[in-house]
Amino acid sequence: MTYVKRILRVALVMPLVLAGAACSGKKETPAAVPSGAADAVSTPAPSSAPSATPTGDPAALAATAIAAMSDADLAGQVLMPYAYGSDATTVDKTSAAGNQNLAGVDTPAQMVAKFHLGGLILVSFTAQDPTGSTNPATNVESPQQVRRLTDGLQAAARQLPGGAPLMIGTDQEYGVVTRITNGVTMLPSAMGAGAAAQSPLTEDAWRAAGEELAAMGITVDFAPVADTLGPPANTVIGSRSFGADPAANGGQVAAAVRGLRAGGVAAGLKHFPGHGHTSGDSHQGLPVITQTTAQLAAQDLPPFQAGVAAGAGVVMSGHLDVQAVDKGVPATFSHKIMTDVLRGSLKFTGVAITDAMNMPPAMKWPAGEAAVRALNAGNDMLLMPPDITAARDGILAGLKSGSLKRERLVEAVTRILTLKFRTAQTPQPQIGTVGSDAHQQAVAALDAASITVLKGPCAGPLVGGPVTVTAADGREVARVTLVKALQAAGVTVQAAGGKVVHLVGYGDSGADLDPAAAATVMMDTPYLLASAKSPVLVATYSSSKLSLTALAAVIAGKAKAPGKSPVAVTGLPRTAC
């Protein structure tokens, strides 16, 4: 029996599950990256008035655009690199040097024009981000700046043959992987939503996220993470996952997809076919997935299937060695996985995009050869190629030699353009919607539902009397935020001498715990609570202001903690309440 038939046979016994579902440091201070206008390098802005919202059938618009494109245009449409600089046409000398090294141009707008790009990803580097090694640039500062940048990028794209909008993506997962942090409404991590286990709240929160991203000019969010979490040693996914239960994850993934779509942004599921059951990190090497096809179908595929059924526009491949399906071949480069399973078994018709091509498993081959291999496997778009010129030229060489069929390239571009035209038909919200009261309320409701007491009282104040808030090294922002929230909730907070509420988070270890603390709060995956000695143990799964405000209400006895840990913690119940 072939691997595809085996996966399909196992999947056939799961219709009810699917119907009900539809990367490292720990400091909070971002690395300083020059982004100012000092010694600026400028290029003329493209002379184009804002275009009207495209109307008509997106597939027909795509076909018309493709008719105007050369092979070089088609090759550019499947590329989504990053760029340096916080403005499309004016950058500082450091950013210009970065762009010259990457693409032989000074500015992001010139990069779009030179390569006839189909997309561009906005990135940022922070020390606590497990994906930080692939993001050497930082070009997001504030919602207003991002909107100016994306407006400039779209103006450049409108000058290209076919006049299609640019696909502008980012990794706005919330939690430890969040590109735009200043001025936006911060959702809890996916695991926080999994703890709340209320899909309507998840959908409302992600709709708020979608509206804010759309207002900033983002057209695709590479979220939600659809990976089902396996071993606690999996730190690269961790709280980025909704949890360990594939059926529950499917419901959460579908809700997030619906929310993003309603907000005007395409959702991007990742990391297909599932990065949760490995302790390896694809930012460093090629993780091995040892599950059988039956286990893959039961544990990993359901959340992706649910997301596809909910209307996800994008699925991102994982650089994973899925040994039961295509041993030794990274999933990104596997036709068996990206075509036979994704297109055949899951019936996905949207845009398949690679994980970053500047990650080690994808750099096994030269950039041009890797580009052709990824396209032939079934990917439609190539994310963050390490050498844009080589990737583009490799595609053109493949067309000439026949190693890449033009029909395959046209198929990929058709999917990309169809999604771009469809997304562009949703009117863009005003920038003032970012951080609105309505969005804050929607997300606060999800945060309140996520707080989990794994040990301690379920009613009344968690800690009686004056409290003192302490935190592991590097978590001063979270500590001060909680102090202010506790004071607002009527709790007396002392600099010293009170009952200690101790905060720990992503990347912390047993050495960061305080054995004398009255309460220990984990702001990421709750596994570390198994080693804590406090009589009160709480998980927030997140260090956002709204999460800590919800925590303060529980500590003060003004709210209950309805959450339930979506992963098992040794020696502790999923909830004590």
Side-chain angles (χ1 to χ4, degrees):
M1 185 183 297
T2 66
Y3 62 92
V4 176
K5 288 181 179 177
R6 289 198 298 269
I7 288 176
L8 284 171
R9 176 167 289 185
V10 177
L12 286 174
V13 304
M14 302 180 65
L16 294 179
V17 172
L18 297 181
C23 310
S24 118
K26 65 181 184 180
K27 302 301 181 184
E28 294 180 345
T29 304
V33 178
S35 58
D39 298 318
V41 176
S42 299
T43 58
S47 56
S48 175
S51 61
T53 301
T55 58
D57 176 56
L61 293 170
T64 299
I66 287 174
M69 293 183 179
S70 66
D71 286 353
D73 297 323
L74 294 173
Q77 281 295 310
V78 303
L79 302 178
M80 181 182 271
Y82 64 90
Y84 292 85
S86 58
D87 186 87
T89 58
T90 301
V91 300
D92 60 33
K93 289 185 176 181
T94 301
S95 295
N99 289 327
Q100 282 289 343
N101 184 61
L102 184 64
V105 297
D106 287 334
T107 70
Q110 289 177 330
M111 192 182 298
V112 172
K114 176 178 178 179
F115 292 97
H116 295 191
L117 295 178
L120 194 133
I121 183 171
L122 306 187
V123 297
S124 67
F125 174 84
T126 55
Q128 76 271 22
D129 186 337
T131 69
S133 61
T134 62
N135 299 297
T138 296
N139 48 22
V140 295
E141 298 166 4
S142 70
Q144 294 76 16
Q145 171 266 323
V146 174
R147 176 63 178 265
R148 289 191 298 271
L149 171 59
T150 58
D151 282 350
L153 293 171
Q154 292 292 6
R158 285 195 296 271
Q159 308 302 311
L160 301 179
L166 194 68
M167 185 184 292
I168 302 178
T170 199
D171 295 290
Q172 193 80 348
E173 297 175 14
Y174 302 96
V176 295
V177 177
T178 307
R179 301 293 179 239
I180 310 166
T181 58
N182 295 330
V184 302
T185 305
M186 290 291 291
L187 275 62
S189 68
M191 189 168 284
Q198 296 188 43
S199 294
L201 295 182
T202 300
E203 184 171 344
D204 288 345
W206 278 91
R207 177 169 185 157
E211 290 175 352
E212 295 195 1
L213 289 166
M216 291 183 281
I218 307 297
T219 70
V220 59
D221 187 9
F222 295 122
V225 171
D227 302 324
T228 295
L229 201 61
N234 186 320
T235 57
V236 69
I237 301 300
S239 61
R240 302 165 65 192
S241 166
F242 288 102
D245 184 293
N249 288 358
Q252 292 294 313
V253 166
V257 169
R258 290 193 300 268
L260 284 170
R261 287 192 68 195
V265 171
L269 309 177
K270 61 188 185 187
H271 308 78
F272 188 77
H275 202 318
H277 288 87
T278 176
S279 59
D281 183 351
S282 54
H283 297 84
Q284 300 172 1
L286 180 62
V288 174
I289 308 295
T290 59
Q291 292 156 288
T292 65
T293 54
Q295 291 170 327
L296 286 167
Q299 298 171 358
D300 292 281
L301 295 184
F304 287 97
Q305 180 71 72
V308 168
V314 175
V315 171
M316 179 185 288
S317 69
H319 300 322
L320 307 163
D321 180 2
V322 187
Q323 298 198 330
V325 181
D326 202 357
K327 186 175 182 179
V329 181
T332 297
F333 302 95
S334 170
H335 189 275
K336 294 178 180 180
I337 293 171
M338 296 307 298
T339 298
D340 296 347
V341 177
L342 181 60
R343 304 292 185 187
S345 301
L346 270 63
K347 308 301 182 186
F348 179 61
T349 59
V351 175
I353 189 169
T354 71
D355 204 344
M357 297 288 280
N358 63 355
M359 293 163 64
M363 295 181 71
K364 176 180 178 181
W365 305 279
E369 181 180 351
V372 171
R373 285 177 176 268
L375 289 166
N376 280 333
N379 294 279
D380 302 308
M381 205 163 204
L382 311 176
L383 183 64
M384 301 171 73
D387 186 326
I388 305 172
T389 301
R392 189 269 317 275
D393 291 350
I395 293 169
L396 295 176
L399 292 175
K400 185 175 181 180
S401 70
S403 62
L404 174 65
K405 301 301 183 185
R406 194 174 190 276
E407 293 79 8
R408 167 79 271 268
L409 185 59
V410 169
E411 177 186 55
V413 175
T414 298
R415 289 177 181 148
I416 292 166
L417 292 174
T418 300
L419 178 61
K420 292 198 291 187
F421 281 120
R422 181 182 298 125
T423 305
Q425 289 180 344
T426 300
Q428 186 175 16
Q430 296 296 315
I431 194 64
T433 193
V434 179
S436 68
D437 289 343
H439 290 172
Q440 297 279 321
Q441 291 168 10
V443 174
L446 179 59
D447 279 299
S450 72
I451 306 301
T452 306
V453 173
L454 289 86
K455 182 180 179 182
C458 296
L462 288 184
V463 179
V467 303
T468 296
V469 180
T470 62
D473 183 43
R475 308 206 175 279
E476 183 64 9
V477 172
R479 190 194 72 80
V480 171
T481 299
L482 180 59
V483 167
K484 292 179 180 177
L486 287 169
Q487 291 171 332
V491 176
T492 300
V493 182
Q494 298 177 175
K499 292 186 176 179
V500 173
V501 176
H502 187 66
L503 302 177
V504 286
Y506 174 76
D508 288 334
S509 66
D512 297 296
L513 296 170
D514 179 356
T520 298
V521 178
M522 186 62 191
M523 303 181 293
D524 193 61
T525 54
Y527 304 121
L528 187 58
L529 293 177
S531 301
K533 306 301 181 184
S534 303
V536 174
L537 301 175
V538 186
T540 67
Y541 316 95
S542 175
S543 60
S544 72
K545 180 179 179 180
L546 291 175
S547 288
L548 295 176
T549 299
L551 169 66
V554 173
I555 292 175
K558 294 186 175 182
K560 295 185 184 247
K564 181 179 180 180
S565 175
V567 294
V569 180
T570 303
L572 293 171
R574 297 295 180 102
T575 175
C577 301

